[in-house]
Amino acid sequence: MMYQKAVTSCVLGMMSIFLPFIGILFGWIGLLFANKALVELTTDAPGYRFALGGKICSVVGLCLQVCILIFILAAYFFFMNLNLFM
């Protein structure tokens, strides 16, 4: 199987979308595998679309996870300063 990196990047990219917090790590690793696979494969190779899909899913997963993390941190700092229980 010539395109193991491409399939790995696709799987890790999809996992980065759905798994909270650890998805950031999966997104970075998936992006690395996708870039390596895209360098090795030509556009007509059978695994090229897997690598491209893995790269897209990894970028989407990274953006989603970072936005969720920023939202959680912003909500934490906002609600910590309200003094609701005093």
Side-chain angles (χ1 to χ4, degrees):
M1 189 149 133
M2 182 75 174
Y3 48 93
Q4 280 182 321
K5 290 177 188 171
V7 173
T8 303
S9 72
C10 194
V11 170
L12 287 173
M14 286 187 274
M15 288 173 65
S16 73
I17 294 173
F18 295 110
L19 294 176
F21 303 118
I22 193 134
I24 294 173
L25 179 66
F26 286 155
W28 280 112
I29 297 171
L31 196 60
L32 291 174
F33 273 105
N35 286 335
K36 287 182 182 180
L38 286 172
V39 166
E40 293 175 3
L41 297 172
T42 60
T43 56
D44 58 346
Y48 182 79
R49 290 187 181 181
F50 280 111
L52 192 60
K55 187 170 187 172
I56 291 169
C57 287
S58 294
V59 169
V60 168
L62 276 173
C63 292
L64 186 66
Q65 296 294 331
V66 168
C67 287
I68 289 171
L69 186 64
I70 290 171
F71 177 75
I72 289 172
L73 288 175
Y76 174 75
F77 287 118
F78 176 75
F79 287 117
M80 285 300 291
N81 294 328
L82 283 181
N83 295 327
L84 293 173
F85 300 109
M86 293 193 159

